[in-house]
Amino acid sequence: RGSSGKSVEFEHLTLTVTFPGSNPATPRGAQPQAAKFNYYIGDDESRWASNVPSFGAIIYENLYDGVDLTIAGNDDGVLKYEFHVAPGADWNQIRIAYDGIDSLCVDESGDLRIATSFGTLMDSAPLVWQEDVESRLSGGTAVTGGTAVPAVHLDGGWAADDGRDARATSDTIPARFELVDDATYRFALDDPVDPTRELIIDPDVEWMVYLGGSGSEDADGLAIAPNGDVLVSGTTSSFDFEHRIGPHYGPDDTFILRMLPTGEVLWMSYVGGELDDYGQALAVDSAGRALVVGFTWSRTFARAINTYRGGSWDGFLAVVSPGGQIEWSAFVGGSASDSANAVAVDQRDRIWIAGSTGSPNLESRLNEHHGGDTDAFVSVLSPSGQTDWSIYLGGSASETVRAITLDSQSGAVLTGSTGSVDFEHRVNSYFGGITDGFLTSVSSQGVAGSMSYLGGSGRDAGSGVALPPAGGVRIGGWTDSPDFTGHVNEFGGGRNDAFLTSIESGGELAWTIYLGGGGDDWSNGIATDCRGRTIVAGGADSWNFRGRWNNRLGGAWDGFVAIVGPDARQEWMKFIGGKNQDDAKRPILAADEVIYTVGVTSSPAFRGRVNEFHGGSYDAFLTRLGPEPMVSATTSCPSGGAATIQWSRARPEGRVVLLYAREQALLRIPDGIYCAGTLLMLGTDHLQLVFAGTSDPNGSGSLNINAGPGACGGYLQLLDLSTCATSNVARIE
């Protein structure tokens, strides 16, 4: 009965899931929770129950011979399941059957569609991987002062915990749903399975959000506001872009949108004029205003403070308030065609714009156009839009700047591509091919610094530049040169590889690493973190991309995000996307060590999506990759004694190990053992395992230990065995 006292009828549907051919299996609780429950129902006390425990997961052991089924809730409140197949067991036994449904089908994205009389349910395409669980501890004791814990000798073995969900460093296997009949399905694996290793079948995915409307979108700009909000810019042809607050101007407009760190869109604004306008890059000033640059065919750009300069298209700058209103805009260029491709803001809120120009008459120019179809250029504008100065960069052929960053002296470091063998201020010689990448600098007063060619005998182009905290420069881009100067590994094949080059503080080339495989791969942007590692984002169609954590997701190419350590070792790489084309751009590291990246996708079933594809040929997208763990220690050195060690931001209820060393250094876990390739910031001197266990449901944990005096001055680092992510290094002092 309802609240009114009247009878109420409900329709209901019961779905039953069974496992044909399975063994009798009694579920047992796992991941015990703090909550207890009491049931005092009716007057029959024999049916009462009190202090009933609760669990975060249940396990059906040996559901099939050698196969366990685990069912658990994830952080998003979704009930998910995994099959754990013991080494040597036959995964082909697994069958899942539904009763009470209308039909099953597998859609073009590989997702399972479960049709019922109430609507359609969806199960995302399966993720299948194998993990190493070999444990080889040897010798030594840890610093607990209470229990003797074996130390870890990396030259002879690694302490592999018996934790699961280690997809991060495990070998993934291409897999799909396969229908047995209208109500039953199984898993089909497309690559061989190593019978000596555990196999895990997990249909869960990660997080992303589509941005757009019924037309097509592409995102090229990404920035973090002073308050932590996320700003994204790009180009759209949609008149119905979701969350819009202003009018659409022309066939293609630039868009700018602002989001909370949780992914909720606050607003979206169109920027442009009566013709086509293309957003290329984005920065944020100290007041939280968005500064968007690009190029435009429009002669009547919204709120322009000057007039169209000439040529087929002009560069532009648009300044958008924190509330989404365009404050003013300016055309950037001269009498020929110009494009603003990159933007940065210095400590005085001066706006640095860089790109390519065919115009010999840039406003406030300090030198003359060098020749060729285009020169690279840099223009610096005041916070109110007046041009302080402009400078041409290049030689007798064509150049363009693709990325800019500012140094501690408010000068600029730039990269891009050039066809000029006589680039001004060069310190080396042109390498060959149609284009070379280049690295150069410009002072805060507009004085060009030395310029270096980057590349080999083929075509090369720089697309991203970043400054590590310890000094030097990192440059990312793409190349088809198998002899790229300074390379420490071999060209992957195909037409292109992504590359990352490190230049030392004194200007010497330290190393270049190719990123890719046998197909075409490219980088669209880079960023660095506080440990000197480089985040690379781009596109790839190489199924055998080196260092991959997962397999290709489909389409002509996938997006990717990779991490390269300061010692030129690739730590990991992950494909992102769906069954169609996906391309990742402009990664950025937020204050909480979250990695964001934007891009373009035509995949209506992008892995980890939290909303639906908007339509048209392409949507823009934003992805968020979670932060790495943090560890802290509160001790009573130098005498030693009671110590508290805390960690956070690890995988919820995931397995972790805490390591101790007497010194800091760069130490990579060797190949063939658990978390192989992961870079530790600990030395080999007295490297010891302090703790192996599980994080709480929030990914946190705390230890109270008794540290001897010998532990003082040493270092601690946490390794998350679920993702192989490492924490910061905490000193015991």
Side-chain angles (χ1 to χ4, degrees), residues 248 352 374 395 541:
H248 189 81
W352 292 63
T374 61
D541 73 354

Side-chain angles (χ1 to χ4, degrees), residues 1 21 223 248 509 562 615:
R1 294 181 180 275
H248 189 81
L509 174 65

Side-chain angles (χ1 to χ4, degrees), residues 167-316:
R167 74 191 73 185
T169 55
S170 307
D171 294 336
T172 52
I173 298 173
R176 50 192 165 82
F177 292 120
E178 186 173 87
L179 298 184
V180 178
D181 53 44
D182 286 345
T184 308
Y185 67 95
R186 61 183 293 272
F187 300 101
L189 275 59
D190 296 330
D191 277 359
V193 172
D194 183 350
T196 67
R197 301 164 65 191
E198 183 181 37
L199 178 74
I200 300 176
I201 302 175
D202 174 13
D204 198 20
V205 291
E206 293 188 355
W207 178 92
M208 66 78 65
V209 59
Y210 292 107
L211 306 170
S214 58
S216 293
E217 285 76 34
D218 187 358
D220 289 282
L222 177 63
I224 304 297
N227 69 345
D229 287 352
V230 184
L231 292 134
V232 180
S233 67
T235 304
T236 178
S237 64
S238 297
F239 285 75
D240 56 351
F241 199 116
E242 195 173 15
H243 304 289
R244 62 194 179 279
I245 61 173
H248 189 81
Y249 293 101
D252 285 289
D253 276 353
T254 294
F255 74 84
I256 170 70
L257 63 83
R258 191 178 185 110
M259 307 174 67
L260 295 174
T262 58
E264 178 186 351
V265 178
L266 297 174
W267 50 259
M268 169 271 173
S269 289
Y270 296 106
V271 176
E274 81 284 4
L275 298 179
D276 290 330
D277 319 289
Y278 294 94
Q280 297 283 90
L282 169 68
V284 179
D285 67 12
S286 61
R289 302 184 304 173
L291 312 174
V292 187
V293 298
F295 60 97
T296 178
W297 272 261
S298 299
R299 269 60 173 175
T300 57
F301 207 94
R303 299 188 69 85
I305 61 175
N306 58 356
T307 58
Y308 194 81
R309 301 289 187 173
S312 297
W313 57 87
D314 262 5
F316 74 82

Side-chain angles (χ1 to χ4, degrees), residues 391 393 423-427 439-443 447-451:
I391 183 173
L393 303 167
F423 200 116
E424 193 175 18
H425 304 297
R426 61 193 178 279
V427 296
L439 173 69
T440 190
S441 62
V442 178
S443 75
V447 178
S450 61
M451 170 272 176

Side-chain angles (χ1 to χ4, degrees), residues 234 318 331:
F331 293 104

